[in-house]
Amino acid sequence: MSERALRGTRLVVTSYETDRGIDLAPRQAVEYACQNGHRFEMPFSVEAEIPQEWECKTCGAPALLVDGDGPEEKKLKPARTHWDMLMERRTRDELEEVLAERLAVLRSGAMNLAVHPRESGSSRKKSA
């Protein structure tokens, strides 16, 4: 019985509605041109904000709006180096004090270097 119920219909979603009596949103055609000489139009709603740049349909390169101002220059943050981040946390006097302490420890030879038991050759077990 269920096989007969499906006979004559497709399992794909199909709309049986028509476009009669439907008012589409007002549209405008906007023209773009890419650096390779391709020109194409894109439909946008009249109310939509028009982007200055769009991907070219033919080659995929960035295409600019014809009769447009061009894309806005983005403000780039200056690159922060390790030194810049260190100077945000400490003053130069504090850094000189820490450096003097570390140099004193190095020069005195009083650094406590712990040797891991596995690194010493006497405690290693040899496998057969």
Side-chain angles (χ1 to χ4, degrees):
M1 182 80 177
S2 64
E3 291 178 15
R4 292 182 196 162
L6 294 177
R7 189 179 302 161
T9 62
R10 293 187 291 174
L11 297 176
V12 181
V13 176
T14 305
S15 174
Y16 295 108
E17 296 180 14
T18 62
D19 291 339
R20 276 184 271 153
I22 297 175
D23 293 330
L24 297 175
R27 300 184 185 272
Q28 61 180 335
V30 179
E31 188 176 14
Y32 288 93
C34 79
Q35 60 193 7
N36 297 329
H38 304 122
R39 294 177 80 90
F40 59 94
E41 287 188 351
M42 292 297 299
F44 285 97
S45 171
V46 174
E47 300 169 357
E49 183 178 331
I50 307 300
Q52 296 293 320
E53 190 174 309
W54 197 266
E55 184 178 318
C56 178
K57 288 181 171 182
T58 308
C59 63
L64 297 177
L65 181 65
V66 175
D67 299 329
D69 299 334
E72 294 179 9
E73 293 294 323
K74 295 180 181 177
K75 294 181 181 178
L76 297 176
K77 286 184 173 180
R80 286 178 45 195
T81 63
H82 293 294
W83 178 255
D84 294 333
M85 290 184 267
L86 182 65
M87 293 307 290
E88 289 175 4
R89 295 190 311 268
R90 299 189 185 237
T91 64
R92 196 168 190 93
D93 293 334
E94 290 173 335
L95 290 173
E96 288 178 6
E97 184 180 325
V98 170
L99 176 64
E101 289 174 6
R102 294 281 85 197
L103 286 174
V105 169
L106 284 173
R107 289 180 182 142
S108 70
M111 286 183 54
N112 186 7
L113 297 175
V115 177
H116 198 275
R118 291 188 180 187
E119 293 177 2
S120 62
S122 62
S123 65
R124 275 196 190 163
K125 293 183 181 179
K126 293 183 181 179
S127 61

